[in-house]
Amino acid sequence: VHLFARGYYAHKNTIMPMLFALAGYGINIGFAILFAQTIGVTALPIAFLLGTTVQLVLLALFITKKISYFNIRNFAVKFLKIGFASVLMAIAVFFIPQFLSTSFLTLQMIRVIVGALIYLLITYLFRCPELKFFSDLLNKLKKPRRA
């Protein structure tokens, strides 16, 4: 959302991001009130997700009118790949049993390692180009510097 909003700002358009933010906040508040009666405090992150998603979609769709070379389809495919990898990672981390006979810190470290490995595996299988960026960065860090 912040990156898209900055794209509008660069084109001296501050009204559209503000209107889309208001729409997102309205949806956020509406769904929070609607869901709070049935599911309680869990409604807050769900409503925030829905409001922010609407704001992101509006920003992405309308920015193509200002930036003609922005490929919305390419962005959507990348967004869905990374989103799917994130959801699978979250599910895996959630189901790591809390009753393991380890300390709290060890359990959290296991969750971080398993989550990272699953995320990297899924993004590798999806051939996400962002993964190459990080592998190139790691390769640069491995190389010894010349004095």
Side-chain angles (χ1 to χ4, degrees):
V1 168
H2 296 292
L3 290 174
F4 279 115
R6 290 178 182 169
Y8 283 92
Y9 301 152
H11 284 87
K12 300 187 183 337
N13 184 348
T14 57
I15 299 296
M16 296 300 279
M18 184 200 61
L19 293 175
F20 297 152
L22 289 174
Y25 296 147
I27 289 171
N28 187 352
I29 292 167
F31 276 109
I33 292 169
L34 180 69
F35 291 150
Q37 301 297 324
T38 56
I39 60 176
V41 74
T42 309
L44 295 177
I46 293 171
F48 181 78
L49 172 71
L50 293 173
T52 305
T53 302
V54 166
Q55 185 181 359
L56 175 66
V57 168
L58 289 171
L59 286 167
L61 286 176
F62 283 90
I63 203 160
T64 57
K65 296 183 187 321
K66 292 284 185 187
I67 303 173
S68 60
Y69 56 86
F70 178 71
N71 187 343
I72 189 80
R73 180 170 290 166
N74 189 20
F75 171 77
V77 168
K78 287 181 181 184
F79 183 80
L80 290 173
K81 285 180 180 181
I82 291 172
F84 185 71
S86 300
V87 167
L88 288 181
M89 175 192 67
I91 290 170
V93 168
F94 179 77
F95 284 110
I96 291 176
Q98 295 181 357
F99 53 84
L100 290 175
S101 60
T102 61
S103 69
F104 177 78
L105 184 60
T106 305
L107 178 63
Q108 299 313 315
M109 289 178 65
I110 291 170
R111 286 181 167 165
V112 167
I113 292 168
V114 169
L117 290 174
I118 288 175
Y119 183 82
L120 290 172
L121 175 67
I122 299 299
T123 54
Y124 174 77
L125 292 174
F126 282 158
R127 295 186 177 102
C128 292
E130 293 79 11
L131 190 60
K132 182 171 175 11
F133 170 78
F134 287 109
S135 66
D136 291 347
L137 183 65
L138 287 174
N139 288 333
K140 285 182 184 178
L141 293 174
K142 285 183 193 177
K143 292 181 183 178
R145 293 184 181 184
R146 297 181 191 182

